[in-house]
Amino acid sequence: MKLFGTDGVRGKAGDFLDAITVLKLAKAAGIYFRKHSTTKKILVGKDTRRSGYMIENALVSGLTAVGYDVIQIGPMPTPAIAYLTESMRCDAGIMISASHNPYEDNGIKFFDNHGNKLNTTCEKAIETIFNDDELMQSEQVTGRNIGASKRIDDVIGRYIVSIKSSFPRDLNLSGLRIVLDCANGAAYKVGPTILQELGADVIIVNNKPDGFNINEDCGAMHPEYIGKLIREYRADIGLALDGDADRLVVIDEKGEVVDGDKLIGALCNYLHEQKLLKGNGCVATVMSNKALEDYLENKGIELFRSDVGDKYVLEVMKEKGINFGGEQSGHIIFSDTAKTGDGLASALQVLALILKSGKKASVALNPFDLYPQILHNMKVTEKIPLKDINGLDEILKPIREKGIRDLIRYSGTENKIRLLLEGKNKKDVEDSMETLKSFFKKVL
């Protein structure tokens, strides 16, 4: 059975992700982590979905069945689980969340003892154990070896102190009016607390989760809502988180959403000017606009590209010795502060940038113009490997000679091919896309 996707295990709660599957997955993960155990403790947190209760209890049953003690800390952001797993010296951490998905879905993300997301090799090892019924049965424990569980409610303070310490000590948020959208998710307590303790005037919305309203017409997936509130309350900036608070979307004082690539560019240059950028580089994904690459190059900063997914961004960051990277979707990683995308840590760096620049958000976070970009999805009957498609290189050659960047890939979950083109001349990009669409209609 295939379990892991691009970001842990995710699916419809009670269907693909039912109690029996979760219990088995917990046993398999426990058996895997036990090989290198030092403390026999695993941390478990969750977002605010109703199905989190079912999944949490199934995880506890599976982990204790193979000898693990479980620490349950309730609703907390994904990056808090990464931080606390290492801080509390646990063998592993588990976050129950489907991130920005609707409440019907849920998911399970695993972290190692250093707070890093598991790589594909580790995930495959857990899947192998999961599918080995004989091993699963033989590795169960009995008697005094069965694990225990306990709930701790006061660890939120550790995470708050950690995030606040990343904000420059010579600054405070006094005088800033901020609209904060918690997406009725995991940051509904910790988000407002951090901003208020740093002195901001915070207008808090969507901070009343009921188990079903997470991400519902709110948060990072629907930032247009707080754009209206910013104008109404004459706020300086808006911050929209997603359900597990690992993603941030920023809205300026005009109520306009700040493009993710522009945000990455502005933050990277800010770190560079503050002499805090390591490796003189930045990591973004293959989806990021080439205008970001050109902007950074003009600043003497090299852009490296990774596959889509914040864990792939982090892999390239580690490989290149870089401490900053992100995705245009809002996952931004400051690796000196967090082991994964952290919406609140990113928000504090955005606010520090604005305060130090002395400019309004609409100016400070708009450092360059994007190049025209077209993304088109086409249904296909068969996913023929791109290298085996006759004539594709001949079609792409004149397109590339115009200075147009192309990204062609199949969807990982659907029978679709995704075509992305971008360049400085809009008409060239549009004409080239029509040429590509016609070509793929014939061959696929």
Side-chain angles (χ1 to χ4, degrees):
M1 181 179 179
K2 173 69 175 171
L3 293 170
F4 288 90
T6 55
D7 194 13
V9 180
R10 190 176 297 184
K12 190 172 183 180
D15 184 5
F16 171 75
L17 213 58
D18 62 13
I20 301 301
T21 302
V22 173
L23 190 149
K24 276 188 68 180
L25 176 60
K27 287 173 64 177
I31 293 166
Y32 172 78
F33 289 121
R34 209 170 57 189
K35 295 175 184 176
H36 306 288
S37 174
T38 57
T39 65
K40 277 185 59 184
K41 294 188 299 183
I42 287 183
L43 187 74
V44 175
K46 60 183 179 179
D47 65 21
T48 56
R49 293 163 217 265
R50 172 70 66 86
S51 59
Y53 292 104
M54 172 193 73
I55 293 172
E56 182 179 27
N57 288 324
L59 281 172
V60 170
S61 293
L63 291 168
T64 54
V66 295
Y68 260 108
D69 292 337
V70 182
I71 301 171
Q72 299 162 263
I73 61 172
M76 287 285 280
T78 289
I81 303 305
Y83 167 74
L84 291 167
T85 296
E86 183 176 38
S87 172
M88 297 174 71
R89 301 191 178 186
C90 295
D91 287 343
I94 301 176
M95 177 65 181
I96 305 166
S97 176
S99 191
H100 59 280
N101 287 25
Y103 84 89
E104 296 94 339
D105 294 337
N106 217 323
I108 300 171
K109 304 177 186 183
F110 293 94
F111 298 88
D112 67 18
N113 61 329
H114 296 296
N116 298 311
K117 286 184 178 179
L118 299 191
N119 59 36
T120 52
T121 302
C122 299
E123 291 174 344
K124 286 178 181 176
I126 292 173
E127 276 191 15
T128 299
I129 298 170
F130 178 94
N131 291 307
D132 189 337
D133 291 337
E134 187 176 332
L135 177 64
M136 291 274 281
Q137 182 64 33
S138 66
E139 290 293 328
Q140 287 192 162
V141 299
T142 59
R144 293 179 180 272
N145 293 320
I146 294 174
S149 71
K150 63 179 178 180
R151 186 172 295 277
I152 301 178
D153 297 319
D154 61 356
V155 295
I156 188 172
R158 298 193 195 194
Y159 178 63
I160 289 171
V161 169
S162 167
I163 296 302
K164 284 173 60 180
S165 66
S166 69
F167 191 68
R169 286 190 172 275
D170 60 328
L171 299 177
N172 65 67
L173 301 180
S174 178
L176 272 186
R177 177 171 289 178
I178 300 168
V179 178
L180 175 66
D181 188 338
C182 300
N184 293 312
Y188 77 101
K189 288 183 180 178
V190 66
T193 301
I194 289 171
L195 295 176
Q196 288 169 340
E197 287 188 3
L198 287 170
D201 174 12
V202 188
I203 298 157
I204 310 159
V205 295
N206 299 310
N207 64 327
K208 294 179 173 58
D210 62 10
F212 307 110
N213 59 2
I214 187 171
N215 298 316
E216 184 180 19
D217 299 325
C218 61
M221 303 306 292
H222 298 279
E224 64 279 357
Y225 171 68
I226 62 170
K228 297 175 184 177
L229 291 179
I230 288 168
R231 293 189 293 271
E232 180 182 341
Y233 286 97
R234 297 183 181 181
D236 299 292
I237 196 168
L239 307 170
L241 305 169
D242 67 342
D244 67 336
D246 66 351
R247 181 184 301 208
L248 171 72
V249 172
V250 177
I251 303 90
D252 67 25
E253 82 286 353
K254 297 179 180 178
E256 300 293 327
V257 175
V258 177
D259 178 82
D261 282 333
K262 291 185 177 184
L263 186 63
I264 291 171
L267 286 169
C268 186
N269 186 53
Y270 164 72
L271 292 178
H272 182 60
E273 290 178 342
Q274 298 295 313
K275 303 191 185 315
L276 297 172
L277 186 67
K278 295 176 182 175
N280 202 42
C282 170
V283 180
T285 75
V286 291
M287 299 298 291
S288 280
N289 198 286
K290 193 174 186 301
L292 169 63
E293 187 173 346
D294 291 348
Y295 167 76
L296 293 177
E297 185 180 352
N298 288 335
K299 300 288 184 180
I301 302 167
E302 187 172 3
L303 179 72
F304 298 92
R305 292 183 184 267
S306 74
D307 290 336
V308 176
D310 64 335
K311 72 176 182 180
Y312 299 115
V313 172
L314 188 58
E315 283 177 8
V316 177
M317 288 170 61
K318 289 179 179 177
E319 177 190 334
K320 302 294 182 182
I322 292 168
N323 64 342
F324 177 74
E327 296 185 279
Q328 58 186 173
S329 60
H331 290 122
I332 302 172
I333 303 173
F334 295 86
S335 63
D336 291 342
T337 302
K339 299 292 181 73
T340 183
D342 189 324
L344 292 168
S346 301
L348 292 190
Q349 294 304 313
V350 171
L351 296 171
L353 183 164
I354 290 169
L355 290 171
K356 292 213 170 190
S357 72
K359 300 174 183 176
K360 292 185 179 295
S362 60
V363 178
L365 304 178
N366 188 30
F368 58 87
D369 293 325
L370 298 170
Y371 296 156
Q373 185 183 84
I374 300 176
L375 176 63
H376 182 74
N377 296 320
M378 292 178 63
K379 289 185 177 180
V380 298
T381 55
E382 183 183 2
K383 293 181 180 179
I384 302 171
L386 297 178
K387 61 183 177 59
D388 296 336
I389 298 178
N390 292 328
L392 180 57
D393 289 340
E394 288 75 11
I395 286 288
L396 289 175
K397 185 178 179 182
I399 291 175
R400 291 168 176 170
E401 287 175 349
K402 294 177 184 177
I404 295 173
R405 186 175 80 92
D406 62 89
L407 177 64
I408 302 170
R409 63 190 182 98
Y410 290 110
S411 165
T413 57
E414 303 173 277
N415 280 339
K416 288 183 178 180
I417 190 167
R418 306 194 191 283
L419 312 176
L420 184 148
L421 294 179
E422 67 178 26
K424 296 181 181 181
N425 186 294
K426 184 178 180 181
K427 188 172 187 312
D428 283 347
V429 175
E430 292 172 342
D431 292 344
S432 298
M433 181 58 78
E434 290 304 315
T435 301
L436 264 188
K437 285 162 60 177
S438 298
F439 173 78
F440 280 111
K441 279 179 184 176
K442 292 176 184 177
V443 299
L444 297 178

